[in-house]
Amino acid sequence: MRNAGPFADRAAAGRALADALIARNLVQPVILALPRGGVAVAAEIAKALAAPLDIVLVRKIGVPYQPELALAAIVDGDPPDVVVNEDVAELSGIPPDYIETQTRQALAEIERRRKAYLQGRPRVPLQGRTIVLVDDGIATGASIRAALKALQRRHPNRLILAVPVAPAETVAELEKDVDEVICLRQPEPFFAIGVHYADFHQMSDQEVIALLEACAAGASPPASAPDEGN
């Protein structure tokens, strides 16, 4: 897919995705974002579709001697889901009690972040709804894949993944886990998500909270600005 130049920022990418989603006439959509960057994209989609916005928090559990190798992932929900990479678990020989201990720690951090971001607002019901999972881009897809597997267990009517940019190979793999992938740009070769944005500053927790509060109140998402020094 030809690259049409960088998105101005995450909000601009969200508006472009919203146009693609509006054309699909989705029934009872719920927009779910992966913080932090995914929230700025998803807020524009939620506004355009007049849909509720919620977040999905994912914490990876790495192999002790190789932390970047994902042994499992914890995905928040009611109840939370543990997605185990069975191949890695078998080959690494990690005992189950290690995953249990790490899961407890991950759940505590997930709960802390959810309370901070949502300020006590309840979760949006997902069963029987059209779920649109949103991030600001995909590189390896490890966190996205864990989130999708957990969301499948929520029995949605449809499960859609919507991202502005991702490698074509990763998109092809993720298409197996959803009803549809909407990816606006699939550049080859793929170097990094940030090169496809003019503004790809690291979002603060305060920006995320402001976006979520605005969507919950039915207001337009506030414009986000780069942090000083970024």
Side-chain angles (χ1 to χ4, degrees):
M1 184 176 295
R2 180 176 295 179
N3 191 345
F7 297 103
D9 54 19
R10 293 179 177 91
R15 290 190 291 271
L17 277 172
D19 289 341
L21 287 160
I22 287 171
R24 284 161 170 78
N25 296 314
L26 304 180
V27 177
Q28 287 192 306
V30 175
I31 314 303
L32 298 182
L34 284 168
R36 298 177 179 140
V39 175
V41 180
E44 296 292 336
I45 296 172
K47 173 189 171 185
L49 273 61
L53 174 64
D54 203 344
I55 58 174
V56 177
L57 295 164
V58 181
R59 298 284 292 181
K60 183 180 73 174
I61 297 176
V63 173
Y65 51 81
Q66 194 174 350
E68 291 305 310
L69 180 58
L71 174 62
I74 313 304
V75 183
D76 78 317
D78 190 15
D81 280 287
V82 181
V83 180
V84 178
N85 188 333
E86 299 293 351
D87 292 338
V88 173
E90 183 176 352
L91 291 173
S92 64
I94 303 299
D97 59 352
Y98 173 81
I99 296 180
E100 292 173 6
T101 299
Q102 295 299 307
T103 294
R104 287 194 294 271
Q105 296 176 6
L107 287 174
E109 176 60 17
I110 282 174
E111 185 61 22
R112 185 196 69 79
R113 292 181 66 192
R114 174 167 277 275
K115 287 180 178 178
Y117 286 154
L118 295 179
Q119 306 290 304
R121 289 189 296 276
R123 300 176 189 272
V124 177
L126 301 179
Q127 185 169 340
R129 305 286 291 270
T130 297
I131 296 176
V132 182
L133 181 63
V134 179
D135 204 355
D136 56 10
I138 301 174
T140 65
S143 294
I144 286 279
R145 189 171 288 110
L148 291 173
K149 289 184 181 297
L151 291 173
Q152 288 169 354
R153 301 172 185 173
R154 306 298 174 190
H155 305 293
N157 180 43
R158 291 187 69 197
L159 181 55
I160 297 171
L161 174 62
V163 292
V165 59
E169 182 179 2
T170 301
V171 170
E173 283 297 313
L174 291 171
E175 284 176 338
K176 303 172 185 177
D177 298 323
V178 295
D179 294 296
E180 184 178 6
V181 175
I182 300 173
C183 182
L184 301 179
R185 300 178 187 173
Q186 301 174 42
E188 293 294 343
F190 185 93
F191 296 110
I193 296 170
V195 302
H196 300 284
Y197 288 86
D199 171 11
F200 195 66
H201 71 279
Q202 182 175 344
M203 291 183 63
S204 66
D205 284 345
Q206 289 70 29
E207 286 179 276
V208 172
I209 292 167
L211 285 165
L212 293 170
E213 285 181 343
C215 286
S220 296
S224 60
D227 295 331
E228 293 183 6
N230 285 342

PDB file of all heavy atoms in Angstrom, residues 97-128:
ATOM      1  N   ASP A  97       3.657 -21.804  38.820  1.00  0.00           N
ATOM      2  CA  ASP A  97       3.559 -20.862  39.930  1.00  0.00           C
ATOM      3  C   ASP A  97       4.273 -19.542  39.617  1.00  0.00           C
ATOM      4  O   ASP A  97       3.951 -18.505  40.199  1.00  0.00           O
ATOM      5  CB  ASP A  97       4.092 -21.466  41.228  1.00  0.00           C
ATOM      6  CG  ASP A  97       5.555 -21.906  41.133  1.00  0.00           C
ATOM      7  OD1 ASP A  97       6.120 -21.880  40.019  1.00  0.00           O
ATOM      8  OD2 ASP A  97       6.119 -22.279  42.174  1.00  0.00           O
ATOM      9  N   TYR A  98       5.219 -19.564  38.672  1.00  0.00           N
ATOM     10  CA  TYR A  98       5.862 -18.316  38.256  1.00  0.00           C
ATOM     11  C   TYR A  98       4.846 -17.430  37.551  1.00  0.00           C
ATOM     12  O   TYR A  98       4.751 -16.225  37.827  1.00  0.00           O
ATOM     13  CB  TYR A  98       7.043 -18.598  37.330  1.00  0.00           C
ATOM     14  CG  TYR A  98       7.641 -17.337  36.729  1.00  0.00           C
ATOM     15  CD1 TYR A  98       8.524 -16.556  37.454  1.00  0.00           C
ATOM     16  CD2 TYR A  98       7.305 -16.926  35.439  1.00  0.00           C
ATOM     17  CE1 TYR A  98       9.067 -15.391  36.920  1.00  0.00           C
ATOM     18  CE2 TYR A  98       7.831 -15.768  34.895  1.00  0.00           C
ATOM     19  CZ  TYR A  98       8.722 -15.016  35.635  1.00  0.00           C
ATOM     20  OH  TYR A  98       9.242 -13.853  35.103  1.00  0.00           O
ATOM     21  N   ILE A  99       4.075 -18.008  36.652  1.00  0.00           N
ATOM     22  CA  ILE A  99       3.044 -17.241  35.946  1.00  0.00           C
ATOM     23  C   ILE A  99       2.007 -16.716  36.930  1.00  0.00           C
ATOM     24  O   ILE A  99       1.551 -15.573  36.829  1.00  0.00           O
ATOM     25  CB  ILE A  99       2.375 -18.094  34.852  1.00  0.00           C
ATOM     26  CG1 ILE A  99       3.398 -18.471  33.766  1.00  0.00           C
ATOM     27  CG2 ILE A  99       1.186 -17.351  34.221  1.00  0.00           C
ATOM     28  CD1 ILE A  99       2.821 -19.320  32.653  1.00  0.00           C
ATOM     29  N   GLU A 100       1.644 -17.548  37.921  1.00  0.00           N
ATOM     30  CA  GLU A 100       0.650 -17.122  38.910  1.00  0.00           C
ATOM     31  C   GLU A 100       1.147 -15.918  39.706  1.00  0.00           C
ATOM     32  O   GLU A 100       0.406 -14.957  39.934  1.00  0.00           O
ATOM     33  CB  GLU A 100       0.323 -18.292  39.840  1.00  0.00           C
ATOM     34  CG  GLU A 100      -0.415 -19.436  39.157  1.00  0.00           C
ATOM     35  CD  GLU A 100      -0.573 -20.645  40.054  1.00  0.00           C
ATOM     36  OE1 GLU A 100      -0.207 -20.538  41.251  1.00  0.00           O
ATOM     37  OE2 GLU A 100      -1.037 -21.694  39.576  1.00  0.00           O
ATOM     38  N   THR A 101       2.404 -15.954  40.129  1.00  0.00           N
ATOM     39  CA  THR A 101       2.971 -14.840  40.896  1.00  0.00           C
ATOM     40  C   THR A 101       3.035 -13.574  40.065  1.00  0.00           C
ATOM     41  O   THR A 101       2.641 -12.490  40.511  1.00  0.00           O
ATOM     42  CB  THR A 101       4.389 -15.197  41.392  1.00  0.00           C
ATOM     43  OG1 THR A 101       4.312 -16.344  42.239  1.00  0.00           O
ATOM     44  CG2 THR A 101       4.994 -14.041  42.164  1.00  0.00           C
ATOM     45  N   GLN A 102       3.519 -13.710  38.834  1.00  0.00           N
ATOM     46  CA  GLN A 102       3.617 -12.552  37.947  1.00  0.00           C
ATOM     47  C   GLN A 102       2.239 -12.012  37.574  1.00  0.00           C
ATOM     48  O   GLN A 102       2.060 -10.802  37.398  1.00  0.00           O
ATOM     49  CB  GLN A 102       4.384 -12.935  36.679  1.00  0.00           C
ATOM     50  CG  GLN A 102       5.839 -13.302  36.917  1.00  0.00           C
ATOM     51  CD  GLN A 102       6.625 -12.146  37.514  1.00  0.00           C
ATOM     52  OE1 GLN A 102       6.614 -11.041  36.983  1.00  0.00           O
ATOM     53  NE2 GLN A 102       7.305 -12.402  38.625  1.00  0.00           N
ATOM     54  N   THR A 103       1.265 -12.900  37.487  1.00  0.00           N
ATOM     55  CA  THR A 103      -0.099 -12.476  37.164  1.00  0.00           C
ATOM     56  C   THR A 103      -0.659 -11.590  38.268  1.00  0.00           C
ATOM     57  O   THR A 103      -1.283 -10.560  37.997  1.00  0.00           O
ATOM     58  CB  THR A 103      -1.006 -13.700  36.963  1.00  0.00           C
ATOM     59  OG1 THR A 103      -0.574 -14.426  35.799  1.00  0.00           O
ATOM     60  CG2 THR A 103      -2.462 -13.280  36.770  1.00  0.00           C
ATOM     61  N   ARG A 104      -0.443 -11.965  39.522  1.00  0.00           N
ATOM     62  CA  ARG A 104      -0.932 -11.155  40.639  1.00  0.00           C
ATOM     63  C   ARG A 104      -0.319  -9.758  40.611  1.00  0.00           C
ATOM     64  O   ARG A 104      -1.010  -8.756  40.829  1.00  0.00           O
ATOM     65  CB  ARG A 104      -0.642 -11.855  41.973  1.00  0.00           C
ATOM     66  CG  ARG A 104      -1.519 -13.067  42.247  1.00  0.00           C
ATOM     67  CD  ARG A 104      -1.416 -13.504  43.696  1.00  0.00           C
ATOM     68  NE  ARG A 104      -0.077 -13.988  44.019  1.00  0.00           N
ATOM     69  CZ  ARG A 104       0.309 -15.260  43.881  1.00  0.00           C
ATOM     70  NH1 ARG A 104      -0.548 -16.158  43.432  1.00  0.00           N
ATOM     71  NH2 ARG A 104       1.532 -15.622  44.218  1.00  0.00           N
ATOM     72  N   GLN A 105       0.970  -9.695  40.336  1.00  0.00           N
ATOM     73  CA  GLN A 105       1.639  -8.393  40.270  1.00  0.00           C
ATOM     74  C   GLN A 105       1.119  -7.570  39.098  1.00  0.00           C
ATOM     75  O   GLN A 105       0.889  -6.364  39.221  1.00  0.00           O
ATOM     76  CB  GLN A 105       3.155  -8.600  40.143  1.00  0.00           C
ATOM     77  CG  GLN A 105       3.781  -9.269  41.349  1.00  0.00           C
ATOM     78  CD  GLN A 105       5.263  -9.538  41.161  1.00  0.00           C
ATOM     79  OE1 GLN A 105       5.859  -9.132  40.167  1.00  0.00           O
ATOM     80  NE2 GLN A 105       5.870 -10.235  42.114  1.00  0.00           N
ATOM     81  N   ALA A 106       0.923  -8.225  37.943  1.00  0.00           N
ATOM     82  CA  ALA A 106       0.427  -7.519  36.759  1.00  0.00           C
ATOM     83  C   ALA A 106      -0.986  -7.000  36.978  1.00  0.00           C
ATOM     84  O   ALA A 106      -1.322  -5.875  36.580  1.00  0.00           O
ATOM     85  CB  ALA A 106       0.469  -8.440  35.541  1.00  0.00           C
ATOM     86  N   LEU A 107      -1.822  -7.794  37.626  1.00  0.00           N
ATOM     87  CA  LEU A 107      -3.201  -7.373  37.877  1.00  0.00           C
ATOM     88  C   LEU A 107      -3.258  -6.159  38.801  1.00  0.00           C
ATOM     89  O   LEU A 107      -4.105  -5.275  38.625  1.00  0.00           O
ATOM     90  CB  LEU A 107      -4.004  -8.525  38.484  1.00  0.00           C
ATOM     91  CG  LEU A 107      -4.377  -9.657  37.520  1.00  0.00           C
ATOM     92  CD1 LEU A 107      -5.028 -10.804  38.279  1.00  0.00           C
ATOM     93  CD2 LEU A 107      -5.326  -9.138  36.435  1.00  0.00           C
ATOM     94  N   ALA A 108      -2.362  -6.119  39.777  1.00  0.00           N
ATOM     95  CA  ALA A 108      -2.329  -4.972  40.681  1.00  0.00           C
ATOM     96  C   ALA A 108      -1.981  -3.700  39.911  1.00  0.00           C
ATOM     97  O   ALA A 108      -2.585  -2.638  40.133  1.00  0.00           O
ATOM     98  CB  ALA A 108      -1.316  -5.212  41.800  1.00  0.00           C
ATOM     99  N   GLU A 109      -1.020  -3.787  38.995  1.00  0.00           N
ATOM    100  CA  GLU A 109      -0.639  -2.620  38.203  1.00  0.00           C
ATOM    101  C   GLU A 109      -1.742  -2.230  37.221  1.00  0.00           C
ATOM    102  O   GLU A 109      -2.028  -1.044  37.020  1.00  0.00           O
ATOM    103  CB  GLU A 109       0.658  -2.912  37.443  1.00  0.00           C
ATOM    104  CG  GLU A 109       1.103  -1.812  36.503  1.00  0.00           C
ATOM    105  CD  GLU A 109       1.360  -0.480  37.190  1.00  0.00           C
ATOM    106  OE1 GLU A 109       1.520  -0.444  38.430  1.00  0.00           O
ATOM    107  OE2 GLU A 109       1.413   0.548  36.480  1.00  0.00           O
ATOM    108  N   ILE A 110      -2.389  -3.220  36.625  1.00  0.00           N
ATOM    109  CA  ILE A 110      -3.492  -2.939  35.706  1.00  0.00           C
ATOM    110  C   ILE A 110      -4.624  -2.217  36.433  1.00  0.00           C
ATOM    111  O   ILE A 110      -5.183  -1.237  35.923  1.00  0.00           O
ATOM    112  CB  ILE A 110      -4.007  -4.250  35.072  1.00  0.00           C
ATOM    113  CG1 ILE A 110      -3.057  -4.703  33.959  1.00  0.00           C
ATOM    114  CG2 ILE A 110      -5.425  -4.093  34.527  1.00  0.00           C
ATOM    115  CD1 ILE A 110      -3.392  -6.061  33.373  1.00  0.00           C
ATOM    116  N   GLU A 111      -4.955  -2.684  37.624  1.00  0.00           N
ATOM    117  CA  GLU A 111      -6.035  -2.067  38.392  1.00  0.00           C
ATOM    118  C   GLU A 111      -5.666  -0.636  38.779  1.00  0.00           C
ATOM    119  O   GLU A 111      -6.510   0.271  38.736  1.00  0.00           O
ATOM    120  CB  GLU A 111      -6.332  -2.899  39.637  1.00  0.00           C
ATOM    121  CG  GLU A 111      -7.532  -2.401  40.436  1.00  0.00           C
ATOM    122  CD  GLU A 111      -8.837  -2.429  39.657  1.00  0.00           C
ATOM    123  OE1 GLU A 111      -8.930  -3.195  38.659  1.00  0.00           O
ATOM    124  OE2 GLU A 111      -9.763  -1.674  40.011  1.00  0.00           O
ATOM    125  N   ARG A 112      -4.409  -0.424  39.138  1.00  0.00           N
ATOM    126  CA  ARG A 112      -3.964   0.927  39.480  1.00  0.00           C
ATOM    127  C   ARG A 112      -4.110   1.873  38.286  1.00  0.00           C
ATOM    128  O   ARG A 112      -4.623   2.992  38.421  1.00  0.00           O
ATOM    129  CB  ARG A 112      -2.504   0.902  39.931  1.00  0.00           C
ATOM    130  CG  ARG A 112      -1.977   2.247  40.424  1.00  0.00           C
ATOM    131  CD  ARG A 112      -0.466   2.265  40.489  1.00  0.00           C
ATOM    132  NE  ARG A 112       0.139   2.223  39.170  1.00  0.00           N
ATOM    133  CZ  ARG A 112       0.241   3.283  38.360  1.00  0.00           C
ATOM    134  NH1 ARG A 112      -0.241   4.463  38.727  1.00  0.00           N
ATOM    135  NH2 ARG A 112       0.821   3.174  37.177  1.00  0.00           N
ATOM    136  N   ARG A 113      -3.691   1.417  37.124  1.00  0.00           N
ATOM    137  CA  ARG A 113      -3.751   2.262  35.937  1.00  0.00           C
ATOM    138  C   ARG A 113      -5.198   2.504  35.487  1.00  0.00           C
ATOM    139  O   ARG A 113      -5.554   3.597  35.072  1.00  0.00           O
ATOM    140  CB  ARG A 113      -2.948   1.638  34.796  1.00  0.00           C
ATOM    141  CG  ARG A 113      -1.455   1.609  35.051  1.00  0.00           C
ATOM    142  CD  ARG A 113      -0.710   1.013  33.889  1.00  0.00           C
ATOM    143  NE  ARG A 113      -0.815   1.861  32.702  1.00  0.00           N
ATOM    144  CZ  ARG A 113      -0.453   1.459  31.486  1.00  0.00           C
ATOM    145  NH1 ARG A 113       0.004   0.241  31.291  1.00  0.00           N
ATOM    146  NH2 ARG A 113      -0.568   2.275  30.467  1.00  0.00           N
ATOM    147  N   ARG A 114      -6.041   1.473  35.589  1.00  0.00           N
ATOM    148  CA  ARG A 114      -7.439   1.650  35.193  1.00  0.00           C
ATOM    149  C   ARG A 114      -8.118   2.683  36.089  1.00  0.00           C
ATOM    150  O   ARG A 114      -8.863   3.538  35.610  1.00  0.00           O
ATOM    151  CB  ARG A 114      -8.192   0.316  35.240  1.00  0.00           C
ATOM    152  CG  ARG A 114      -9.701   0.436  34.986  1.00  0.00           C
ATOM    153  CD  ARG A 114     -10.350  -0.890  34.736  1.00  0.00           C
ATOM    154  NE  ARG A 114     -10.204  -1.308  33.355  1.00  0.00           N
ATOM    155  CZ  ARG A 114     -11.015  -0.929  32.369  1.00  0.00           C
ATOM    156  NH1 ARG A 114     -12.020  -0.109  32.607  1.00  0.00           N
ATOM    157  NH2 ARG A 114     -10.840  -1.351  31.145  1.00  0.00           N
ATOM    158  N   LYS A 115      -7.890   2.605  37.388  1.00  0.00           N
ATOM    159  CA  LYS A 115      -8.483   3.580  38.300  1.00  0.00           C
ATOM    160  C   LYS A 115      -7.987   4.987  37.992  1.00  0.00           C
ATOM    161  O   LYS A 115      -8.754   5.960  38.026  1.00  0.00           O
ATOM    162  CB  LYS A 115      -8.162   3.207  39.746  1.00  0.00           C
ATOM    163  CG  LYS A 115      -8.942   2.006  40.264  1.00  0.00           C
ATOM    164  CD  LYS A 115      -8.570   1.695  41.703  1.00  0.00           C
ATOM    165  CE  LYS A 115      -9.390   0.521  42.241  1.00  0.00           C
ATOM    166  NZ  LYS A 115      -8.997   0.166  43.630  1.00  0.00           N
ATOM    167  N   ALA A 116      -6.697   5.101  37.693  1.00  0.00           N
ATOM    168  CA  ALA A 116      -6.130   6.415  37.393  1.00  0.00           C
ATOM    169  C   ALA A 116      -6.716   6.991  36.112  1.00  0.00           C
ATOM    170  O   ALA A 116      -7.059   8.176  36.037  1.00  0.00           O
ATOM    171  CB  ALA A 116      -4.610   6.313  37.277  1.00  0.00           C
ATOM    172  N   TYR A 117      -6.858   6.161  35.097  1.00  0.00           N
ATOM    173  CA  TYR A 117      -7.336   6.640  33.803  1.00  0.00           C
ATOM    174  C   TYR A 117      -8.840   6.906  33.785  1.00  0.00           C
ATOM    175  O   TYR A 117      -9.301   7.884  33.211  1.00  0.00           O
ATOM    176  CB  TYR A 117      -6.997   5.631  32.701  1.00  0.00           C
ATOM    177  CG  TYR A 117      -5.546   5.590  32.306  1.00  0.00           C
ATOM    178  CD1 TYR A 117      -4.987   4.435  31.761  1.00  0.00           C
ATOM    179  CD2 TYR A 117      -4.719   6.698  32.454  1.00  0.00           C
ATOM    180  CE1 TYR A 117      -3.656   4.386  31.387  1.00  0.00           C
ATOM    181  CE2 TYR A 117      -3.384   6.658  32.087  1.00  0.00           C
ATOM    182  CZ  TYR A 117      -2.856   5.499  31.552  1.00  0.00           C
ATOM    183  OH  TYR A 117      -1.530   5.452  31.176  1.00  0.00           O
ATOM    184  N   LEU A 118      -9.601   6.028  34.403  1.00  0.00           N
ATOM    185  CA  LEU A 118     -11.059   6.108  34.277  1.00  0.00           C
ATOM    186  C   LEU A 118     -11.740   6.734  35.482  1.00  0.00           C
ATOM    187  O   LEU A 118     -12.951   6.961  35.457  1.00  0.00           O
ATOM    188  CB  LEU A 118     -11.642   4.716  34.014  1.00  0.00           C
ATOM    189  CG  LEU A 118     -11.230   4.099  32.674  1.00  0.00           C
ATOM    190  CD1 LEU A 118     -11.837   2.721  32.514  1.00  0.00           C
ATOM    191  CD2 LEU A 118     -11.654   4.989  31.513  1.00  0.00           C
ATOM    192  N   GLN A 119     -11.001   7.006  36.543  1.00  0.00           N
ATOM    193  CA  GLN A 119     -11.551   7.730  37.692  1.00  0.00           C
ATOM    194  C   GLN A 119     -12.827   7.075  38.236  1.00  0.00           C
ATOM    195  O   GLN A 119     -13.784   7.745  38.608  1.00  0.00           O
ATOM    196  CB  GLN A 119     -11.837   9.179  37.293  1.00  0.00           C
ATOM    197  CG  GLN A 119     -10.652   9.914  36.684  1.00  0.00           C
ATOM    198  CD  GLN A 119      -9.557  10.208  37.690  1.00  0.00           C
ATOM    199  OE1 GLN A 119      -9.807  10.835  38.714  1.00  0.00           O
ATOM    200  NE2 GLN A 119      -8.345   9.749  37.425  1.00  0.00           N
ATOM    201  N   GLY A 120     -12.845   5.738  38.231  1.00  0.00           N
ATOM    202  CA  GLY A 120     -13.978   5.028  38.794  1.00  0.00           C
ATOM    203  C   GLY A 120     -15.144   4.798  37.854  1.00  0.00           C
ATOM    204  O   GLY A 120     -16.153   4.203  38.258  1.00  0.00           O
ATOM    205  N   ARG A 121     -15.050   5.264  36.605  1.00  0.00           N
ATOM    206  CA  ARG A 121     -16.152   5.022  35.666  1.00  0.00           C
ATOM    207  C   ARG A 121     -16.248   3.530  35.365  1.00  0.00           C
ATOM    208  O   ARG A 121     -15.236   2.846  35.238  1.00  0.00           O
ATOM    209  CB  ARG A 121     -15.947   5.814  34.366  1.00  0.00           C
ATOM    210  CG  ARG A 121     -16.136   7.320  34.538  1.00  0.00           C
ATOM    211  CD  ARG A 121     -16.134   8.030  33.187  1.00  0.00           C
ATOM    212  NE  ARG A 121     -14.849   7.905  32.520  1.00  0.00           N
ATOM    213  CZ  ARG A 121     -13.801   8.703  32.746  1.00  0.00           C
ATOM    214  NH1 ARG A 121     -13.881   9.675  33.648  1.00  0.00           N
ATOM    215  NH2 ARG A 121     -12.666   8.548  32.098  1.00  0.00           N
ATOM    216  N   PRO A 122     -17.477   2.998  35.240  1.00  0.00           N
ATOM    217  CA  PRO A 122     -17.638   1.554  35.029  1.00  0.00           C
ATOM    218  C   PRO A 122     -17.189   1.125  33.636  1.00  0.00           C
ATOM    219  O   PRO A 122     -17.113   1.937  32.708  1.00  0.00           O
ATOM    220  CB  PRO A 122     -19.146   1.338  35.206  1.00  0.00           C
ATOM    221  CG  PRO A 122     -19.756   2.653  34.837  1.00  0.00           C
ATOM    222  CD  PRO A 122     -18.786   3.699  35.310  1.00  0.00           C
ATOM    223  N   ARG A 123     -16.926  -0.157  33.503  1.00  0.00           N
ATOM    224  CA  ARG A 123     -16.586  -0.721  32.206  1.00  0.00           C
ATOM    225  C   ARG A 123     -17.794  -0.667  31.270  1.00  0.00           C
ATOM    226  O   ARG A 123     -18.936  -0.740  31.702  1.00  0.00           O
ATOM    227  CB  ARG A 123     -16.155  -2.186  32.349  1.00  0.00           C
ATOM    228  CG  ARG A 123     -14.952  -2.403  33.239  1.00  0.00           C
ATOM    229  CD  ARG A 123     -14.679  -3.889  33.395  1.00  0.00           C
ATOM    230  NE  ARG A 123     -13.657  -4.124  34.405  1.00  0.00           N
ATOM    231  CZ  ARG A 123     -12.357  -4.148  34.155  1.00  0.00           C
ATOM    232  NH1 ARG A 123     -11.941  -3.952  32.915  1.00  0.00           N
ATOM    233  NH2 ARG A 123     -11.490  -4.361  35.116  1.00  0.00           N
ATOM    234  N   VAL A 124     -17.514  -0.595  29.983  1.00  0.00           N
ATOM    235  CA  VAL A 124     -18.576  -0.649  28.973  1.00  0.00           C
ATOM    236  C   VAL A 124     -18.881  -2.120  28.693  1.00  0.00           C
ATOM    237  O   VAL A 124     -17.966  -2.909  28.429  1.00  0.00           O
ATOM    238  CB  VAL A 124     -18.138   0.054  27.677  1.00  0.00           C
ATOM    239  CG1 VAL A 124     -19.216  -0.074  26.610  1.00  0.00           C
ATOM    240  CG2 VAL A 124     -17.815   1.514  27.944  1.00  0.00           C
ATOM    241  N   PRO A 125     -20.151  -2.553  28.747  1.00  0.00           N
ATOM    242  CA  PRO A 125     -20.488  -3.949  28.432  1.00  0.00           C
ATOM    243  C   PRO A 125     -20.077  -4.301  27.001  1.00  0.00           C
ATOM    244  O   PRO A 125     -20.257  -3.498  26.075  1.00  0.00           O
ATOM    245  CB  PRO A 125     -22.006  -3.994  28.600  1.00  0.00           C
ATOM    246  CG  PRO A 125     -22.329  -2.832  29.487  1.00  0.00           C
ATOM    247  CD  PRO A 125     -21.332  -1.771  29.150  1.00  0.00           C
ATOM    248  N   LEU A 126     -19.544  -5.505  26.813  1.00  0.00           N
ATOM    249  CA  LEU A 126     -19.020  -5.897  25.502  1.00  0.00           C
ATOM    250  C   LEU A 126     -19.788  -7.027  24.836  1.00  0.00           C
ATOM    251  O   LEU A 126     -19.801  -7.134  23.613  1.00  0.00           O
ATOM    252  CB  LEU A 126     -17.550  -6.321  25.643  1.00  0.00           C
ATOM    253  CG  LEU A 126     -16.580  -5.266  26.193  1.00  0.00           C
ATOM    254  CD1 LEU A 126     -15.175  -5.856  26.288  1.00  0.00           C
ATOM    255  CD2 LEU A 126     -16.588  -4.006  25.348  1.00  0.00           C
ATOM    256  N   GLN A 127     -20.434  -7.874  25.615  1.00  0.00           N
ATOM    257  CA  GLN A 127     -21.074  -9.051  25.042  1.00  0.00           C
ATOM    258  C   GLN A 127     -22.140  -8.649  24.022  1.00  0.00           C
ATOM    259  O   GLN A 127     -22.991  -7.804  24.274  1.00  0.00           O
ATOM    260  CB  GLN A 127     -21.702  -9.904  26.137  1.00  0.00           C
ATOM    261  CG  GLN A 127     -22.293 -11.216  25.613  1.00  0.00           C
ATOM    262  CD  GLN A 127     -22.683 -12.169  26.742  1.00  0.00           C
ATOM    263  OE1 GLN A 127     -22.199 -12.045  27.857  1.00  0.00           O
ATOM    264  NE2 GLN A 127     -23.541 -13.118  26.439  1.00  0.00           N
ATOM    265  N   GLY A 128     -22.054  -9.260  22.845  1.00  0.00           N
ATOM    266  CA  GLY A 128     -23.038  -9.022  21.800  1.00  0.00           C
ATOM    267  C   GLY A 128     -22.858  -7.716  21.047  1.00  0.00           C
ATOM    268  O   GLY A 128     -23.646  -7.405  20.152  1.00  0.00           O
TER     269      GLY A 128
END
